[in-house]
Amino acid sequence: MAFPSKQTTQSVAHRAQTAAALLKKEKKEPSLSPLAKAAVELMVFEGRRRADAAEAVGMKDDSLRKALTKPDVLAFMNECMEVLRTSGRPRALRKMIELVDDAKTERIQFEAAKYLDGMDRPSHAVGATVNVQVNNTVNVTPGYVLDLRPDEAVKSAPQIEHLGTDDVIGLDELTDVPEEE
């Protein structure tokens, strides 16, 4: 059995989130066929494979595969997965509490306590998460700019309006600057 590549899996997940966000922004409900809706619900809530879910609702596997590439179907699947994830959180929390109390090893008790304390969940952190990305495509060199062109080239070159050529300090004027030791 061939498994999809990680890149394919991640791109589908990203497209599902993007599709869900667009529909939510436009305040629209996902529009999909009743068969596709039933198949997605079987896949998400009952854990059926795509081929089995398609057969159970009377679709061909290829038709369901193609439907799963459409934004509305992806958005609906994303909503279903979020419902499943949310409904599983109380059970997961209860299991962690049971592990703190009843685990056979102290290591498992410690890991469960660490999870409940929030120290082990950077991706589930409470509060706002801020991501910043800076794309700097402009080459900027800090410091002073020394113009070593002859005076004729400086005067004929375009100047920034508030700077005149009279403000340029020549190298011969810098001769009395003390040397650093």
Side-chain angles (χ1 to χ4, degrees):
M1 174 181 203
F3 291 102
S5 68
K6 186 173 184 180
Q7 181 180 9
T8 304
T9 305
Q10 289 174 345
S11 67
V12 169
H14 177 71
R15 285 199 323 258
Q17 292 172 348
T18 303
L22 285 174
L23 287 173
K24 189 173 186 178
K25 182 179 179 181
E26 296 171 358
K27 297 180 181 172
K28 291 183 180 177
E29 289 292 320
S31 67
L32 61 155
S33 72
L35 292 178
K37 184 176 183 178
V40 167
E41 288 176 345
L42 287 173
M43 288 169 52
V44 173
F45 296 117
E46 294 184 17
R48 293 202 187 176
R49 295 181 319 159
R50 186 187 69 217
D52 296 339
E55 185 181 333
V57 298
M59 287 179 78
K60 291 184 178 180
D61 182 35
D62 189 55
S63 300
L64 181 57
R65 182 187 58 78
K66 288 178 183 174
L68 288 171
T69 63
K70 296 181 180 171
D72 285 345
V73 178
L74 287 172
F76 178 72
M77 184 172 65
N78 199 46
E79 286 177 11
C80 289
M81 289 189 307
E82 188 58 36
V83 167
L84 182 64
R85 187 178 298 115
T86 302
S87 66
R89 284 187 180 128
R91 288 189 2 251
L93 179 63
R94 183 70 207 143
K95 184 65 172 177
M96 291 306 260
I97 292 170
E98 288 174 7
L99 286 173
V100 168
D101 296 336
D102 303 332
K104 294 182 180 179
T105 66
E106 289 182 358
R107 174 70 180 186
I108 294 173
Q109 289 175 335
F110 171 72
E111 293 295 330
K114 202 163 76 167
Y115 177 84
L116 288 172
D117 189 39
M119 293 171 41
D120 198 23
R121 297 179 289 156
S123 63
H124 296 92
V126 178
T129 302
V130 178
N131 296 318
V132 177
Q133 179 178 356
V134 177
N135 293 328
N136 187 359
T137 57
V138 178
N139 292 330
V140 178
T141 305
Y144 295 101
V145 176
L146 299 177
D147 189 352
L148 301 176
R149 293 180 294 177
D151 285 339
E152 300 85 40
V154 173
K155 289 182 182 176
S156 66
Q159 294 288 319
I160 297 175
E161 292 177 14
H162 66 281
L163 294 178
T165 57
D166 299 335
D167 298 335
V168 176
I169 301 172
L171 288 176
D172 54 337
E173 295 175 29
L174 297 176
T175 56
D176 59 340
V177 176
E179 294 288 328
E180 290 185 23
E181 294 180 18

